[in-house]
Amino acid sequence: MNIDPREISALIDAHADASAQPVAPRIDLYVGIHKALRALMAHTLLALGRMDVTDDEEFCSHCERVMDLLDLCRSHLHHENTFVHAAIEARAPGAAQVLEREHGEHEAAITALAAGVTQLLGCAPAVRPAASQALYRQLALFIAHNFEHMHAEETTHNSVLWAHYSDEELVGIHNALVASIPPHEMMAILRWLVPFMSPPERTAMLADMRAHAPAPVFTAVLDSVQPHLTPFEWIKLMRSLGLPAVPGLVH
């Protein structure tokens, strides 16, 4: 593990001069979805660790949650390979090869973990505690590597994208990627995306959705994320969108 505080120091130093003109942040294709994945991965791992293996309903439900995480991770790899890595390779050949190889490793890990879940579901009750602990450890290793991988994408890949693409072009890549996601998958992503954004990110994304999505879709998204926001976060969000904070009045 290599913890490098220089990234933070460089940003602080760049803004230390009060006379310096503020610089608008570049479009970041990774920031939102990676926050969602980190939240989902951590939540799934913690739930697996506290699972009651003697409760059949809870046992099956938590195993299903792990499978849902793996399905979303597999889909995420496909989206990045198809849209983001393709864009990097189009203008900086070879720049995405290292992390794309890691995507192949992640695919193999996802397949192995899914097989582990299937075996766990079919094992005898007496074997569940040890088998569940083994799956928990393997999932933790998978998540740890994904956290490092996402950091590399957010730094190395963003540097390449920002050097070779304008913000308008990056928005086009983002929109094409989002348009390729089936509605049921998008709702699953939004459940983890919206609650774990910062308030300004949350407002910007939902304001854009409100402007472009059908009203019933926008309302369905708000209904799905409200239970996962604190009352204060919900009120703040509704105020920022100019909407009433009372449930049932958002249309």
Side-chain angles (χ1 to χ4, degrees):
M1 183 183 301
N2 182 23
I3 305 298
D4 187 355
R6 289 175 296 179
E7 182 181 351
I8 299 172
S9 298
L11 290 169
I12 294 173
D13 292 343
H15 295 84
D17 183 356
S19 64
Q21 293 295 318
V23 178
R26 295 297 308 274
I27 296 297
D28 189 337
L29 299 179
Y30 294 107
V31 61
I33 186 60
H34 280 185
K35 283 188 176 184
L37 286 173
R38 287 182 177 108
L40 174 57
M41 287 175 175
H43 197 271
T44 304
L45 181 66
L46 294 175
L48 184 64
R50 66 193 297 183
M51 174 177 66
D52 181 0
V53 297
T54 67
D55 184 321
D56 288 345
E57 183 176 352
E58 181 177 330
F59 175 72
C60 291
S61 174
H62 281 61
C63 287
E64 184 178 350
R65 287 173 62 177
V66 176
M67 292 295 252
D68 288 343
L69 167 64
L70 297 175
D71 286 342
L72 193 58
C73 287
R74 185 181 289 110
S75 181
H76 174 68
L77 292 177
H78 172 73
H79 296 320
E80 283 194 342
N81 288 343
T82 303
F83 294 95
V84 184
H85 287 190
I88 291 172
E89 289 296 314
R91 297 191 184 177
Q97 286 183 358
V98 172
L99 294 183
E100 189 152 340
R101 280 197 295 271
E102 291 189 1
H103 277 193
E105 296 170 4
H106 291 174
E107 287 273 10
I110 288 168
T111 299
L113 284 166
V117 175
T118 300
Q119 291 175 337
L120 177 60
L121 284 166
C123 75
V127 184
R128 283 181 184 177
S132 297
Q133 181 66 11
L135 176 65
Y136 171 83
R137 290 196 299 264
Q138 291 302 310
L139 182 62
L141 289 174
F142 173 74
I143 291 172
H145 190 269
N146 269 267
F147 275 28
E148 292 187 333
H149 176 85
M150 286 189 280
H151 176 78
E153 289 180 326
E154 292 165 359
T155 53
T156 304
H157 276 193
N158 263 338
S159 294
V160 176
L161 289 165
W162 293 338
H164 293 88
Y165 286 89
S166 67
D167 280 349
E168 290 75 15
E169 290 174 315
L170 293 175
V171 168
I173 295 169
H174 172 266
N175 290 345
L177 190 161
V178 170
S180 74
I181 300 176
H184 71 278
E185 182 181 333
M186 179 56 71
M187 288 300 292
I189 292 171
L190 288 170
R191 180 263 177 267
W192 294 98
L193 185 68
V194 177
F196 295 99
M197 288 178 153
S198 69
E201 291 168 340
R202 198 178 291 143
T203 298
M205 195 201 79
L206 289 174
D208 182 72
M209 181 180 294
R210 188 185 187 192
H212 297 98
V217 172
F218 177 69
T219 300
V221 170
L222 290 181
D223 289 343
S224 71
V225 301
Q226 183 181 0
H228 309 291
L229 297 173
T230 67
F232 181 68
E233 287 172 331
W234 174 255
I235 292 171
K236 184 185 292 187
L237 175 62
M238 291 299 97
R239 285 175 178 170
S240 71
L241 294 171
L243 294 171
V246 179
L249 295 182
V250 179
H251 295 290

